[in-house]
Amino acid sequence: MNLIIHDLAEKQFESLFPNIDESTKIICDNGNIKKCIGCFGCWIKTPGRCVIHDGYENTGIDFSKADTVIVISKCTYGCYSPFIKEVLDRSISYLLPSFEIINDETHHKQRYEKTFNYQVFFYGNEISEAERITAEKLVLANSMNYHSKSFKVCFFTSVEALCGKVENL
């Protein structure tokens, strides 16, 4: 399964993926996402599943089933858009609450054996060099924390510029 997390308008998404495969799971903004409240419920009360029921409670489980996670986000000050950040925060249940040291850095331990490829496509009209550097470091850190097999980060000036650049699933 492939997982696409995006902050695009419906028509923009359809123009990027006109023939989306039914094995692809899509996470988009339905206007109902709640912020992670740091309650540790996804680790203690309902391991692997968020305790907040808003349609995004299975994000960690979705990550565990993915072969590739594709994120399409507006680059916001070198970070993901607010919606994408909320989804990624809610995916923390993909990992365990305990830590391990990898390359002299502290990371969550894996909950699942299966890992995925992590691809991030940022778009924005005037992404500065400092924002690019920050975003690249962020994606690398996320990739390491998710224990992903590989990662890729790309920048585009607009959503339209993404057409043909994101693998058609």
Side-chain angles (χ1 to χ4, degrees), residues 65-162:
K65 295 176 182 176
D67 296 310
T68 301
V69 173
I70 296 172
V71 175
I72 302 171
S73 175
K74 180 173 185 182
C75 188
T76 308
Y77 305 111
C79 190
Y80 305 104
S81 69
F83 170 74
I84 299 297
K85 174 71 169 89
E86 289 171 0
V87 171
L88 296 180
D89 286 350
R90 296 285 297 280
S91 74
I92 194 71
S93 62
Y94 171 71
L95 302 165
L96 290 169
S98 53
F99 298 103
E100 61 186 340
I101 304 297
I102 302 172
N103 298 329
D104 295 325
E105 295 179 353
T106 304
H107 294 277
H108 287 278
K109 289 185 177 179
Q110 287 181 256
R111 178 182 299 277
Y112 305 98
E113 287 185 31
K114 186 174 187 336
T115 59
F116 53 82
N117 299 306
Y118 190 55
Q119 301 177 1
V120 180
F121 298 88
F122 286 110
Y123 64 90
N125 192 12
E126 295 181 16
I127 302 172
S128 71
E129 187 60 27
E131 289 172 320
R132 283 178 188 261
I133 291 168
T134 300
E136 287 171 346
K137 288 179 181 177
L138 174 64
V139 172
L140 171 62
N142 290 156
S143 175
M144 289 174 63
N145 208 41
Y146 286 135
H147 301 270
S148 65
K149 290 186 257 188
S150 67
F151 80 97
K152 171 166 97 172
V153 59
C154 300
F155 299 90
F156 297 89
T157 55
S158 66
V159 173
E160 294 73 30
L162 276 162

Side-chain angles (χ1 to χ4, degrees), residues 4-10 13 17 26-29 70-73 81 83-84 87:
I4 300 175
I5 306 165
H6 72 89
D7 61 4
L8 304 172
E10 188 174 341
F13 182 79
F17 298 97
I26 300 163
I27 297 178
C28 58
D29 191 356
I70 296 172
V71 175
I72 302 171
S73 175
S81 69
F83 170 74
I84 299 297
V87 171

